Amino acid sequence: MRELRFDGVSVRFGSRGHRVTAVDGVDLTVPAGSVVGLVGESGSGKSTLARAAVGLVPLSAGRVTLDGAPVPTRGRRPLQMVFQDPYSSLNPRMTIGATIAEAVPRGTDRRAEVARLLALVDLPDRMTRYPAELSGGQRQRVAIARALAGRPEVLIADEITSALDVSIQGAVLNLIRDLQRTLDLTILFISHDLAVVRYVSDTIAVMYRGRIVEHGPADTVLADPQDPYTRELLASTEGRSR
Amino acid sequence: MGRVLRTPLGAAAAGTVAVVLLLAVLAPVLWTDAANAVDTGQIQQGASADHWAGTDSLGRDIFFRVLVATRLSVQLALLATALGVAVGLLLGTAPLLLGARAGRVITAAVHIAVAFPGLLLALFFAVIFGVGTTGGLLAIGFALAPGFARLTHTMVAGVAGLDYVAAARIAGVGRLRVLFRHVLPNVAEPLVVNATVAAGNALLAFAGLSFLGLGVQPPDYDWGRLLGEGLGAIYLHPEAALAPGVAVVVAGLAFNLFGEAIAKGVGLERRLGTSTSRFRRRPRVAPDPDDSAMLVVENLSVGFPGTTPVRGVSFSMRRGDAVGIVGESGSGKSLTALAVSRLVEEPGIVEAERLSFLGADLRAGEHRRLLGTSLAMVFQDPMTSFNPTMRIGRQLSEVARHHEGMDRRAAMARAVDRLAAVRLSDPERRARQYPHEFSGGMRQRAMIGMGLMGKPALIVADEPTTALDVTVQRQVLELLASIRAADDVAILLISHDITVVEQVCDRVLVMYAGRIVEDLPAAELRTGARHPYTKALLAAVPDMTTDRELPLTVIPGRPADPANLPPGCAFAPRCPLADARCATEDPELVENAGARVACWHADVPAEVIS
Ligand SMILES: Nc1ncnc2c1ncn2[C@@H]1O[C@H](COP(=O)(O)OP(=O)(O)O)[C@@H](O)[C@H]1O
Ligand code: SF4
Ligand SMILES: [Mg+2]
């Protein structure tokens, strides 16, 4: 069980001429065993923050730590990520079994481990199938199984339900909640949908133009938003509900 | 491959390539003796019944020599191509393997090399590697390499940016394995196509080197050398030069055309919609329901052997309407859209009582003129909608040239104009780029731009944003909305995401198991939905009042299998309100106060369900 911490993290893209600061001095702590929801509009820098945490984009400043130590980049990876789009996050030319097995650490019985993981995400008997043979929801379950293959303690979920049929979105959210409780995972849950974030998170952080503008317990943030952007977000989400 | 062979040009090219390869294998076995037989009594003769292409300065039969030379010529071309591809792959994948800094140096070097004409490069290398077969091989191989390296590099960069590569790296998969398992298999197709074209070029280039005396040296001979020898006596008997010349041109062209035919088969067909599905007309029963309608669909069904995934869909649209179709995957949304655009492929059968667009009967094949001009289609995956081997500008301008007979320059000018209209920055440069140099959002814009090459009255957009990052989703939706506002273009938007449809459309059609089960104004979706399936779809999306301690409502069971539908209402196995009648009788879609619903219990209030 580990704590994920961002200290003064900045990410800049481009060179001299046109520089974009996608993430701007973010301090954020995801306490061990809890779910922090990160919400914000498209382009506010949520995905970039996530990709920076797992080393897919370089940091311009600051550091990301797990229990105070840098995130390991070789050997066992205690920090894993699930992507938005289950259509592009699985290699179309590899079977489900091979995709998951690849992420299972060496020295484990891979077959047995893959079977265990597929059972965990409620997808038994699909080992020899290709992604094209699965529905979007099933693919996202495979992606979750792959992320769990390295037995991570911390998971980053970036918009994992926004590419799914609404009828399946609920089932995937329920699965994430169950897994978090049974495996005692630390989760940074990213979504542009405040209602979805509210449903899964213990605390909510709001991102706007690369900065965290508000962070607190879910009920407090929703009942008494401090930042003007949070208020706007809340108003537009409530307008949508029945 | 089957598709390639079906076009006359593709079949001819494939046939010629096969003959050339066969000759390369067999000719030296069969005719080496005939080709080497010296006959001092028959020196430098013209064509005759004994010697079809005459004889050379030692009286050897030139026709047989050309046939026998096939092996060496083809062998050298293929070896040079293999060398070029291998070096190109190494250079092109180096940035991925070596990391950013070393990668940049290599990429810059490749870019410089690409700027030189291939033949110049080959001559330069020929001087470096020396005269002879090996020297020529190395020269042409290395001359091909930069082009391949650049292609590989851009293709690899495209795939390396995809999430499955990122996921594999996060999972700790090594770089080499990422390259061989994840990247190369997914870029192989265009690389093979280009290698085939390159083989044709290598053949021509080698002939050139040998002709200049820099390639194959006596006593060996390839077509280039035979050509050089024949040219010495061109005024006496031209057939000695003609025979090897024809061989070079035919074989080179065959490889080139074969490669391009494959490229077309891979990319273009889907877009231009070589729809060959049969169309059965049903007798007209009802009179025209609404004469001001631009698109009228009445009792539309789409069937495949064993199943009917679309069953009796009826709706109509006026100019400037925005109608959304929602439903789970497999509910028949896309097939409905494809049927409207007449793009359902064999063995699908489309039936309808009426299917008219702007007054034209789509069932009568009057659609060809309209498709690509008045009716535009945008697909989910913009990568597979473009031909990977053609520049974007050319693909757009072909639409105008094909449909309106515009000349090349005017069509290209319009293409650039439309790329600007979909708000791509620097459209002139973009028009010269290949699809893989575009991001997903840019490709989707270009796809919409292609739809705007004509003057569309209707844009059918099938999940246009599903494959895109949410950052880009909204921009694409806004683009569609602004096109609609500017030119009164109607939009038929298909999406699994009920909130997207709610934002963009005026009316929502909800589909389940191939039928419209509810049709209502988008503004009333959350308050006025009456079908249990529509309500369940809405309830499955959490809102700000959802109880956080309870699991979310999910629609139990699986979506109906169109091949195996229950006798009554298709939703009955998953419906909380289902009763005996539902299990036996399928409810009709009934109109009531501007909305339509198909349910026996449409009047039961929502609270009873949840
Ligand atoms: N590779 C990149 N190069 C340049 N700009 C980028 C890149 N990736 C993201 N950005 C920009 O960074 C900002 C944040 O993007 P992103 O992290 O994807 O936001 P979110 O996930 O909140 O939608 C956006 O303005 C986006 O255009
Ligand atoms: S007809 Fe019956 S089973 Fe079908 S949706 Fe209505 S109540 Fe449910
Ligand atoms: Mg994002």
Side-chain angles (χ1 to χ4, degrees):
Chain A
M1 204 206 295
R2 300 215 197 176
E3 177 189 84
L4 173 66
R5 248 180 100 106
F6 297 85
D7 282 306
V9 170
S10 293
V11 179
R12 281 184 274 277
F13 291 111
S15 51
R16 274 150 272 155
H18 30 92
R19 248 202 155 77
V20 184
T21 303
V23 174
D24 191 1
V26 163
D27 297 311
L28 182 67
T29 302
V30 187
S34 79
V35 183
V36 170
L38 181 60
V39 67
E41 64 182 359
S42 301
S44 57
K46 310 181 297 292
S47 296
T48 307
L49 187 68
R51 297 176 91 90
V54 292
L56 289 175
V57 299
L59 303 184
S60 311
R63 46 190 230 129
V64 183
T65 52
L66 284 176
D67 282 347
V71 181
T73 52
R74 44 188 78 235
R76 207 179 71 88
R77 310 285 184 101
L79 174 62
Q80 284 295 331
M81 175 160 166
V82 183
F83 294 84
Q84 167 182 348
D85 184 358
Y87 289 84
S88 69
S89 73
L90 298 179
N91 184 340
R93 288 169 208 255
M94 272 168 75
T95 62
I96 300 314
T99 294
I100 298 176
E102 201 178 56
V104 172
R106 280 193 199 112
T108 336
D109 175 356
R110 288 204 159 144
R111 256 196 97 75
E113 184 65 4
V114 170
R116 182 188 76 86
L117 289 161
L118 282 175
L120 201 62
V121 296
D122 204 12
L123 261 190
D125 313 326
R126 289 283 152 65
M127 230 181 267
T128 56
R129 301 293 184 89
Y130 284 87
E133 300 172 71
L134 303 186
S135 71
Q138 290 175 329
R139 291 186 209 204
Q140 198 56 295
R141 286 168 193 270
V142 173
I144 292 172
R146 172 182 54 197
L148 295 177
R151 306 220 172 198
E153 287 139 325
V154 185
L155 203 61
I156 298 181
D158 184 13
E159 303 273 13
I160 57 169
T161 59
S162 51
L164 300 181
D165 272 9
V166 279
S167 56
I168 291 154
Q169 169 175 310
V172 170
L173 289 176
N174 287 342
L175 174 68
I176 282 288
R177 257 171 49 127
D178 288 349
L179 289 174
Q180 195 269 328
R181 287 177 188 177
T182 50
L183 303 177
D184 208 2
L185 293 169
T186 306
I187 298 185
L188 179 62
F189 187 93
I190 300 174
S191 175
H192 66 287
D193 187 334
L194 186 56
V196 168
V197 163
R198 168 189 169 276
Y199 179 71
V200 291
S201 311
D202 302 313
T203 68
I204 295 182
V206 181
M207 196 159 185
Y208 183 65
R209 297 202 176 170
R211 296 167 176 273
I212 302 286
V213 293
E214 183 148 8
H215 184 199
D219 294 322
T220 320
V221 170
L222 297 177
D224 183 20
Q226 298 300 311
D227 187 85
Y229 173 70
T230 315
R231 283 190 212 125
E232 194 188 314
L233 192 66
L234 201 57
S236 64
T237 312
E238 269 162 354
R240 200 190 73 189
S241 54
R242 282 141 290 172
Chain B
M1 210 56 193
R3 290 178 162 205
V4 174
L5 295 181
R6 249 183 274 139
T7 65
L9 190 64
T16 317
V17 167
V19 169
V20 169
L21 291 180
L22 205 68
L23 270 182
V25 176
L26 294 183
V29 182
L30 296 177
W31 299 305
T32 300
D33 290 340
N36 289 343
V38 175
D39 182 352
T40 38
Q42 294 271 344
I43 288 172
Q44 300 216 327
Q45 297 297 307
S48 66
D50 286 342
H51 305 289
W52 291 356
T55 55
D56 68 2
S57 54
L58 288 177
R60 292 172 299 199
D61 184 290
I62 289 180
F63 181 69
F64 283 124
R65 287 175 75 75
V66 169
L67 289 182
V68 172
T70 310
R71 178 181 289 180
L72 190 59
S73 305
V74 170
Q75 211 171 36
L76 290 176
L78 294 182
L79 279 175
T81 311
L83 179 65
V85 170
V87 174
L89 277 177
L90 271 180
L91 291 176
T93 55
L96 185 75
L97 291 179
L98 302 180
R101 196 160 308 161
R104 259 197 298 276
V105 176
I106 293 176
T107 313
V110 164
H111 275 131
I112 293 173
V114 167
F116 289 98
L119 208 58
L120 201 67
L121 219 54
L123 287 175
F124 171 72
F125 281 127
V127 173
I128 292 186
F129 293 121
V131 168
T133 307
T134 320
L137 198 63
L138 292 174
I140 291 176
F142 281 111
L144 287 176
F148 247 93
R150 186 171 67 168
L151 180 73
T152 309
H153 175 67
T154 34
M155 300 288 314
V156 163
V159 173
L162 290 179
D163 286 346
Y164 59 78
V165 175
R169 288 170 83 159
I170 297 172
V173 177
R175 283 180 177 175
L176 261 185
R177 199 183 145 86
V178 164
L179 180 67
F180 283 105
R181 284 305 297 265
H182 295 279
V183 178
L184 287 183
N186 288 299
V187 301
E189 236 165 45
L191 289 183
V192 168
V193 169
N194 274 275
T196 314
V197 175
N201 295 343
L203 195 94
L204 296 176
F206 226 109
L209 278 192
S210 295
F211 174 80
L212 293 175
L214 297 173
V216 174
Q217 300 298 318
D220 295 331
Y221 54 98
D222 68 344
W223 288 335
R225 243 204 77 212
L226 292 179
L227 189 65
E229 287 173 359
L231 215 61
I234 186 115
Y235 297 112
L236 293 175
H237 52 106
E239 54 277 24
L242 215 55
V246 167
V248 169
V249 171
V250 167
L253 265 184
F255 276 104
N256 266 325
L257 291 177
F258 185 50
E260 302 211 335
I262 305 178
K264 278 224 170 72
V266 172
L268 258 187
E269 296 209 1
R270 180 196 303 240
R271 180 166 58 77
L272 291 179
T274 50
S275 149
T276 45
S277 62
R278 281 163 296 155
F279 209 98
R280 276 198 222 135
R281 287 195 220 185
R282 281 189 189 165
R284 279 272 298 277
V285 232
D288 299 359
D290 184 353
D291 277 322
S292 66
M294 172 192 71
L295 173 73
V296 181
V297 178
E298 248 178 67
N299 211 356
L300 169 79
S301 301
V302 181
F304 289 92
T307 76
T308 311
V310 175
R311 308 177 293 145
V313 163
S314 303
F315 65 95
S316 62
M317 290 177 70
R318 296 158 190 259
R319 276 192 184 277
D321 269 358
V323 171
I325 305 184
V326 294
E328 285 164 294
S329 341
S331 58
K333 309 183 295 280
S334 294
L335 273 179
T336 302
L338 288 176
V340 166
S341 319
R342 291 285 280 116
L343 289 173
V344 176
E345 294 199 14
E346 287 266 30
I349 295 180
V350 179
E351 291 184 294
E353 266 161 32
R354 194 165 162 208
L355 191 57
S356 73
F357 174 59
L358 293 174
D361 188 349
L362 293 179
R363 299 172 307 169
E366 292 174 30
H367 62 282
R368 297 217 171 273
R369 183 174 50 81
L370 298 171
L371 254 185
T373 52
S374 302
L375 183 79
M377 203 53 215
V378 181
F379 295 100
Q380 168 167 344
D381 184 354
M383 189 60 190
T384 54
S385 318
F386 280 110
N387 182 337
T389 61
M390 262 167 76
R391 295 173 204 277
I392 292 278
R394 173 139 172 247
Q395 299 195 45
L396 262 71
S397 60
E398 273 203 353
V399 177
R401 296 185 58 196
H402 182 74
H403 288 286
E404 295 175 38
M406 271 193 175
D407 69 59
R408 186 184 291 268
R409 185 171 298 180
M412 185 54 85
R414 185 186 288 188
V416 170
D417 176 67
R418 296 304 133 99
L419 289 177
V422 294
R423 298 185 216 141
L424 276 174
S425 57
D426 202 354
E428 261 156 41
R429 187 171 60 89
R430 293 288 175 206
R432 286 193 301 272
Q433 290 184 326
Y434 288 93
H436 58 256
E437 298 176 64
F438 277 40
S439 71
M442 282 158 52
R443 273 195 295 264
Q444 199 56 292
R445 281 155 190 267
M447 194 70 221
I448 296 173
M450 184 181 300
L452 296 179
M453 286 301 289
K455 288 208 172 41
L458 173 65
I459 298 180
V460 179
D462 185 3
E463 303 271 9
T465 59
T466 303
L468 302 179
D469 184 352
V470 278
T471 319
V472 195
Q473 272 184 21
R474 197 176 55 181
Q475 297 167 2
V476 170
L477 292 176
E478 278 169 2
L479 176 65
L480 282 176
S482 72
I483 289 169
R484 175 185 172 213
D487 293 321
D488 213 16
V489 179
I491 292 176
L492 182 61
L493 175 69
I494 292 165
S495 177
H496 67 276
D497 190 341
I498 211 162
T499 48
V500 163
V501 166
E502 198 180 1
Q503 280 161 26
V504 177
C505 300
D506 321 314
R507 228 167 76 223
V508 180
L509 308 176
V510 182
M511 282 190 74
Y512 189 79
R515 295 189 54 195
I516 295 181
V517 295
E518 185 154 22
D519 166 6
L520 77 173
E524 289 170 23
L525 200 52
R526 296 191 184 265
T527 50
R530 296 170 68 207
H531 196 282
Y533 178 62
T534 315
K535 291 182 197 167
L537 278 183
L538 289 164
V541 186
D543 65 23
M544 298 307 285
T545 59
T546 309
D547 188 340
R548 296 167 55 197
E549 297 312 310
L550 298 177
L552 285 173
T553 329
V554 294
I555 306 179
R558 327 173 123 264
D561 173 5
N564 196 6
L565 290 175
C569 172
F571 190 54
R574 306 170 77 185
C575 180
L577 297 183
D579 61 13
R581 185 181 190 193
C582 302
T584 53
E585 282 180 70
D586 200 2
E588 291 276 332
L589 187 63
V590 183
E591 177 154 4
N592 179 11
R596 296 184 293 170
V597 64
C599 172
W600 297 125
H601 303 294
D603 295 317
V604 177
E607 295 72 58
V608 180
I609 300 179
S610 48

